[in-house]
Amino acid sequence: MDKVTTLIDVAVTIQGEPDTVPFTRIFRFYNKADYTILSKLIKSINDKLSKDMRINLNETLYIYLNYIIKELRLHRKTNEMITNASTLLTPDKVMIGVPESLRKISFNILMPNSQRLKITIKEPISTSGYILAP
């Protein structure tokens, strides 16, 4: 039986408010078709954003996943990735509750060369000054 080789394997752990339980999602990219699917999904999400529609938690997570994968391909330094991640989305681009649900995103990445990376982004979408209208 042939062993399937993964191009990249990413476990994403999301921590929201302190009183919530973190959850983990696993993303495995086995071939270029998997990247094509992600690319089409990102295009769909960006189309929503361009129409001033707000995106949900899952769509927001895909934006960050795609960003991390692209930055890794460009061989960016981890600290650059973390710093620039906070510029991807603002509270007015996401649905209510998304910034609070993504207080911390940890990417545990297994690269094709068996190198392991851990990238943690704290408060990627600012919650300061984020107040619900009365």
Side-chain angles (χ1 to χ4, degrees), residues 12-56:
V12 184
T13 302
I14 295 96
Q15 175 65 57
E17 294 288 344
D19 61 340
T20 62
V21 177
F23 66 93
T24 301
R25 295 248 171 97
I26 307 292
F27 300 93
R28 290 192 173 101
F29 298 88
Y30 292 105
N31 53 44
K32 290 183 181 182
D34 293 332
Y35 290 108
T36 301
I37 292 167
L38 177 62
S39 176
K40 288 182 180 189
L41 180 59
I42 294 301
K43 182 185 178 320
S44 171
I45 295 167
N46 284 329
D47 286 347
K48 284 178 76 171
L49 290 169
S50 72
K51 295 174 185 170
D52 288 329
M53 297 173 70
R54 292 176 182 238
I55 59 174
N56 64 34

Side-chain angles (χ1 to χ4, degrees), residues 32-94:
K32 290 183 181 182
D34 293 332
Y35 290 108
T36 301
I37 292 167
L38 177 62
S39 176
K40 288 182 180 189
L41 180 59
I42 294 301
K43 182 185 178 320
S44 171
I45 295 167
N46 284 329
D47 286 347
K48 284 178 76 171
L49 290 169
S50 72
K51 295 174 185 170
D52 288 329
M53 297 173 70
R54 292 176 182 238
I55 59 174
N56 64 34
L57 179 66
N58 289 319
E59 293 165 325
T60 302
L61 185 57
Y62 278 114
I63 292 286
Y64 287 105
L65 174 67
N66 185 61
Y67 167 75
I68 293 294
I69 290 171
K70 280 186 169 186
E71 294 297 293
L72 287 171
R73 285 181 170 172
L74 294 171
H75 304 287
R76 296 265 199 260
K77 294 180 180 175
T78 302
N79 59 345
E80 285 179 48
M81 284 188 254
I82 293 168
T83 301
N84 294 333
S86 64
T87 65
L88 293 178
L89 294 168
T90 56
D92 64 323
K93 298 290 184 188
V94 298

